[in-house]
Amino acid sequence: MKLCTLTRTISSIIQPALSFRPNPGRPISFAAVSPTPQTPLYLRPAVFHDSLTELKKWHKWAKGLASSVGSAFLELDNGPDSTLLHRELDWLIQDAFQHRSDLNPDESLDDAGVVSLRVSLDDLYELWKQRIEGRRPFQYVVGCEHWRDLILSVEEGVLIPRPETEIIVDLVEEAVKESRELGSGLWADLGTGSGALAIGIVRLLEDSGRVVATDLSDIAVAVASYNVQRYGLQDRVAVRRGSWYESLQGDEGKLAGLVSNPPYIPSADIDGLQAEVCNHEPRLALDGGGDGMSDLLHLSSGAAMMLKPGGFFAFETNGDTQSEFLQDYMDTEMKGSFCRLKIVSDFTGIKRFLTGYRAR
Amino acid sequence: MLDDPELAEMAADDIARLEQRIAELDDELQILLLPKDPRDEANLYLEVRAGTGGDEAAIFAGDLFRMYARYAERRRWQVEILSENPGEHGGYKEIVARVEGKGAYSRLKFESGTHRVQRVPETESQGRIHTSAATVAILPELDEIEAIEINPADLKVDTFRASGAGGQHVNKTDSAIRITHLPTGTVVECQDERSQHKNRARAMSLLQARLTDEAQSKQAAAQAESRRLQVGSGDRSQRIRTYNFPQGRITDHRVNLTLYRLPEIMQGDLDELVDTLTREHQADQLQALGHA
C-alpha cells in the first residue's frame, strides 16, 4: 500500500519532467538539438559563490530527498535505491564544488564562510530535483560518465556507456597482444555514442593505428568528437556521421578490427525499463527491433566484407540467447567467413559478448 | 696551562659536554645505520573493523577512522574510501581506505592491532561504562615488482549490478566490485570509485596487499619473534591501546605510554604517540643488532 502511494506521489511530481520524454514510437530527431556539446560540470569554472550556511541547508534537503526514496524505485522498475542516491549526491558535490571538503563538518570553515561553486545554488536544487523526481540519469545531471580510466562527456541524446562495455576494451587488448599486426591497422567503432570504445581502443594500438568512430546521431558525433579532442586523439580517431558501415565506403576488406555496442533491446521491452533509461536515454541507441537482433545481424554480415583476413571483431549483445544465436548464425549461415568464434561472459555471468576473426 | 684553575674548569666542562655529545651522536649514528624499512615511503590501505561491543564498537571504529583521517589531513595525505559498511547507530562495521602521501606507511605502521575503548556509549541510557574494541590493519601498497603473482583462474569477480538483464537495460552508477581469492577465501571490495574498471584495479591492489600481509604474518608467526612492536604484519588480536574517555587518557600497552590528552589525539594529534613508538622501535632494533 505504502509503495502505491509513494509511486503515485512521485509520478505526480514528475509530470513536468515528462515533457522531455521522447514521443514513443516516433524516431527521435536531433535536428532541433544544438550540436554544440555541453561542458561537463566538473570542467566548468567555479564562478558562483554562496554561503556555507545555505549550502549546508541544500545538502540537508538533498540528503532528505535521497532518503525518502528508500527502495521505492528499486521495487518499481529496478531503479536506484537510497544508498546509491546518497553516493551520487557525494559525487555531485565532488563535481560541483571547487573544494569538495568545503561541506565537510570537520572542516574549520565557519558557517559564514563562502564556498565556490561551478553551478548556482538554484541550479543545485534544480539538478537534484531532476535526478530524483524526474529520474534524470545522474550522468546527464553532471554531464559526464566515469568509464574505465576515462571521464567522458555525456548528455541527452547520447547513450551513457555501461560498465559491461568496459570489457570490450580488455578483449581488444588481448587480441592486439596476440597478433601485433592488428595494432598498427585501421579499426572501427560503429555506433560510437560518446566515443568511449573508440578512445579506449586507440590507446591500445601502436602509433600508426587508427580508429574510425561512426554514429547516425548528430549529437553523438558532436559529443564523441568533443571527447576525442579532450584526450588529444583527434589525429588518430576520426568521428564520422553515418549508419553502421555507410561512412566506411572504400575501406572494404581493410579493417584490422571492428567493435560495436549496437542497440540490442527488443522494441517491446523498452517501455518496461527503469525510468532513467526509457524516459531519458536515446531510443536510437537501445532499440534493436522486434527481437533486438536487427542491427547485430546487419553488423555481422558487414563484418565479413569489411574485415581483412585475420581481422578481429567484438560485439556486445543482450546476452545468452542473442550471443548464442549470433554465434550460430555466423558459424552456419556465413560458413567459412569467420573463425575462432567465442562467447565471453560479463561479470554477472551473462554471455554478453561475441568475438571472432575473419577467416584467412 | 693546567695550572690555571679557570682554564682547567672550562676544559673539564667542555669534556663533560662533548662526551655527552659523543654519546648522542653515537645514538644518532646507530639509528641512521639501522636498516631502513623499504616500505616507509609506501602508500597504504587502512582497514578499521568494529570488534566486540555491537553498536558502540561500530561508533568507536568510526571515531578511530576519523582520527586517522584528521591526522592524514594534518600531514597533507590523501584519504580515499574504498568500501564502507556503516553501523546502525553511526560509525562503521568496517571501513577500508587508501592513504596516499609522503612517508604515510612509516607513520602509521605501528597502528595495526586491537584498540580498546572504555566509555559510556551514546547508545547507553543507564550511564554505565562499557568496554568495546575495534581492530586496525595497516597494509602497505605494493609496487609492481613486489606484487605476488595471482592466477586469474583463482579469482571470482562479482559486481553489484542489478541481477537481471544488465547491459543497456540498466543504468546504475553502482560499479562496485568484489573479488574473492578462492584458494585463501580472501574477499576484497571496492565501491567508491566512479568506474567499474577503477574499482577493479583498486580491489586487485588491495587483494595483493592482503595476500602479501597474510603470507608475511604466517612467516613471522613461524619465526616466533617476540618483538614488542609488531610492525605492519602484526598480530591483529594483540591489544595495543586503550582509549579511556572518563579519564581522558590513552595508553599504549606495548611501550607503557600513557598520555592524558585524549581529546586532542582523537582530533588527529597523533605525532607524540607515533614519535614514541618510532623511537621505541628503533631502540628494539638497536638492541637486536647488539645481540647479533
Side-chain angles (χ1 to χ4, degrees):
Chain A
M1 277 321 281
K2 201 177 163 198
L3 174 67
C4 293
T5 330
L6 183 54
T7 310
R8 201 176 314 127
T9 322
I10 289 164
S11 60
S12 65
I13 298 168
I14 62 168
Q15 282 310 323
L18 288 178
S19 56
F20 52 91
R21 178 180 179 160
N23 191 354
R26 234 188 60 195
I28 309 157
S29 159
F30 296 107
V33 183
S34 156
T36 312
Q38 291 163 20
T39 306
L41 184 54
Y42 82 103
L43 287 176
R44 293 182 210 165
V47 294
F48 300 92
H49 308 281
D50 226 302
S51 74
L52 188 59
T53 321
E54 285 304 312
L55 285 161
K56 279 185 171 168
K57 227 184 268 175
W58 167 80
H59 193 210
K60 197 177 167 205
W61 166 83
K63 281 197 284 192
L65 200 57
S67 296
S68 73
V69 171
S71 59
F73 295 162
L74 186 70
E75 287 161 32
L76 181 70
D77 61 10
N78 204 11
D81 64 1
S82 286
T83 315
L84 209 53
L85 292 168
H86 280 292
R87 198 176 300 156
E88 289 179 5
L89 180 60
D90 286 343
W91 290 340
L92 173 61
I93 291 166
Q94 198 175 68
D95 284 6
F97 284 54
Q98 189 171 28
H99 306 289
R100 68 185 300 201
S101 56
D102 282 351
L103 259 192
N104 191 336
D106 291 347
E107 286 290 302
S108 50
L109 247 178
D110 60 66
D111 279 15
V114 172
V115 175
S116 301
L117 300 165
R118 303 181 197 283
V119 278
S120 69
L121 181 64
D122 285 349
D123 280 349
L124 273 181
Y125 277 100
E126 180 55 30
L127 287 174
W128 195 241
K129 238 187 265 180
Q130 288 174 354
R131 173 67 192 109
I132 297 202
E133 293 167 2
R135 302 284 305 269
R136 189 181 180 204
F138 175 74
Q139 299 92 334
Y140 290 158
V141 169
V142 292
C144 75
E145 159 75 339
H146 291 233
W147 191 83
R148 289 188 75 89
D149 56 338
L150 304 167
I151 304 179
L152 300 163
S153 167
V154 290
E155 62 185 73
E156 268 82 3
V158 176
L159 182 82
I160 297 157
R162 308 289 199 255
E164 281 88 346
T165 312
E166 291 181 337
I167 296 176
I168 291 186
V169 180
D170 294 331
L171 298 173
V172 170
E173 190 174 13
E174 281 172 36
V176 172
K177 268 188 191 155
E178 186 193 297
S179 163
R180 293 205 44 205
E181 60 168 317
L182 296 181
S184 54
L186 178 68
W187 285 66
D189 169 18
L190 303 180
T192 192
S194 63
L197 279 174
I199 296 170
I201 285 170
V202 79
R203 300 186 306 165
L204 304 172
L205 305 182
E206 290 169 28
D207 290 346
S208 56
R210 294 284 180 275
V211 178
V212 177
T214 76
D215 208 291
L216 183 56
S217 138
D218 284 326
I219 188 85
V221 167
V223 169
S225 304
Y226 175 87
N227 285 323
V228 165
Q229 284 189 9
R230 278 257 305 125
Y231 283 94
L233 295 166
Q234 57 275 18
D235 295 339
R236 304 185 57 201
V237 179
V239 186
R240 295 181 195 160
R241 190 184 171 280
S243 172
W244 306 127
Y245 297 103
E246 203 176 74
S247 48
L248 284 167
Q249 278 170 19
D251 291 326
E252 288 84 1
K254 289 186 186 159
L255 295 185
L258 176 61
V259 295
S260 185
N261 172 24
Y264 53 61
I265 299 179
S267 307
D269 294 353
I270 291 186
D271 286 335
L273 300 180
Q274 67 174 107
E276 282 83 0
V277 180
C278 71
N279 292 352
H280 297 272
E281 289 199 277
R283 188 173 273 254
L284 182 68
L286 300 168
D287 189 341
D291 59 359
M293 292 289 293
S294 54
D295 296 299
L296 277 167
L297 291 173
H298 177 72
L299 284 169
S300 305
S301 314
M305 190 174 63
M306 300 302 296
L307 284 173
K308 66 178 184 184
F312 173 83
F313 75 87
F315 295 141
E316 181 170 327
T317 77
N318 203 22
D320 298 347
T321 47
Q322 271 196 11
S323 57
E324 282 163 3
F325 182 90
L326 200 64
Q327 183 184 30
D328 186 55
Y329 174 82
M330 293 176 89
D331 205 22
T332 55
E333 300 294 317
M334 304 179 71
K335 205 168 175 60
S337 296
F338 300 102
C339 60
R340 296 171 63 194
L341 293 170
K342 189 175 143 196
I343 289 173
V344 181
S345 296
D346 62 21
F347 287 135
T348 57
I350 294 172
K351 296 172 185 167
R352 178 70 59 195
F353 310 97
L354 182 69
T355 65
Y357 292 83
R358 177 80 171 89
R360 286 191 188 267
Chain B
M1 277 226 304
L2 279 175
D3 295 337
D4 184 336
E6 239 177 78
L7 214 55
E9 199 184 322
M10 267 174 71
D13 276 359
D14 273 358
I15 289 167
R17 193 170 48 82
L18 290 172
E19 271 174 352
Q20 198 192 335
R21 187 73 189 125
I22 289 172
E24 282 169 15
L25 285 172
D26 214 31
D27 283 353
E28 267 178 55
L29 197 62
Q30 289 207 46
I31 286 169
L32 287 172
L33 284 172
L34 280 176
K36 215 168 148 45
D37 186 339
R39 292 185 178 154
D40 273 356
E41 291 303 315
N43 302 321
L44 59 94
Y45 292 104
L46 161 68
E47 308 182 328
V48 185
R49 291 185 182 82
T52 49
D55 291 338
E56 159 67 355
I59 292 169
F60 179 57
D63 295 340
L64 278 182
F65 178 75
R66 210 167 303 119
M67 174 180 86
Y68 291 124
R70 285 173 176 156
Y71 182 57
E73 210 170 274
R74 284 164 189 249
R75 294 231 146 215
R76 303 260 177 269
W77 298 335
Q78 298 291 321
V79 178
E80 192 186 350
I81 295 169
L82 264 56
S83 67
E84 53 196 304
N85 181 1
E88 270 151 47
H89 292 87
Y92 302 100
K93 287 179 194 144
E94 179 188 272
I95 180 158
V96 180
R98 179 172 177 271
V99 181
E100 181 184 333
K102 198 173 173 341
Y105 184 68
S106 72
R107 300 298 290 173
L108 289 179
K109 61 183 175 181
F110 302 110
E111 297 301 310
S112 286
T114 297
H115 298 237
R116 186 173 70 163
V117 62
Q118 293 172 323
R119 67 179 170 191
V120 181
E122 290 163 41
T123 49
E124 155 75 52
S125 50
Q126 310 285 322
R128 281 180 301 222
I129 293 179
H130 285 225
T131 298
S132 331
T135 57
V136 172
I138 304 288
L139 312 172
E141 189 180 60
L142 307 168
D143 59 34
E144 275 176 28
I145 305 159
E146 293 174 287
I148 52 170
E149 192 86 23
I150 295 178
N151 182 356
D154 287 343
L155 300 178
K156 181 170 171 283
V157 181
D158 293 308
T159 67
F160 295 74
R161 294 262 293 166
S163 54
Q168 289 166 10
H169 291 255
V170 183
N171 173 20
K172 282 199 188 167
T173 47
D174 195 350
S175 52
I177 283 277
R178 177 168 51 210
I179 301 179
T180 310
H181 184 245
L182 299 168
T184 58
T186 307
V187 181
V188 291
E189 264 178 45
C190 189
Q191 64 197 24
D192 273 37
E193 294 283 350
R194 282 166 73 166
S195 90
Q196 193 162 75
H197 180 79
K198 281 194 179 175
N199 274 327
R200 191 165 55 138
R202 195 62 89 212
M204 275 304 288
S205 166
L206 175 60
L207 180 64
Q208 287 275 7
R210 281 252 185 95
L211 291 178
T212 307
D213 179 68
E214 280 164 22
Q216 285 174 350
S217 299
K218 259 187 217 154
Q219 212 177 8
Q223 287 170 352
E225 275 185 284
S226 59
R227 277 198 227 130
R228 282 185 300 164
L229 296 165
Q230 300 275 356
V231 182
S233 55
D235 176 8
R236 305 274 185 273
S237 62
Q238 188 199 8
R239 194 179 75 210
I240 62 165
R241 208 176 277 160
T242 296
Y243 301 70
N244 186 308
F245 280 74
Q247 296 172 20
R249 70 169 165 87
I250 186 163
T251 300
D252 196 293
H253 304 291
R254 297 165 296 181
V255 291
N256 280 326
L257 172 75
T258 296
L259 299 173
Y260 284 90
R261 29 197 294 277
L262 183 60
E264 291 85 350
I265 291 170
M266 297 310 286
Q267 293 295 323
D269 187 5
L270 282 172
D271 273 331
E272 187 180 355
L273 207 51
V274 173
D275 287 339
T276 311
L277 289 164
T278 307
R279 266 199 312 276
E280 292 287 332
H281 179 60
Q282 286 165 344
D284 281 1
Q285 280 181 300
L286 283 176
Q287 209 180 1
L289 278 183
H291 285 301

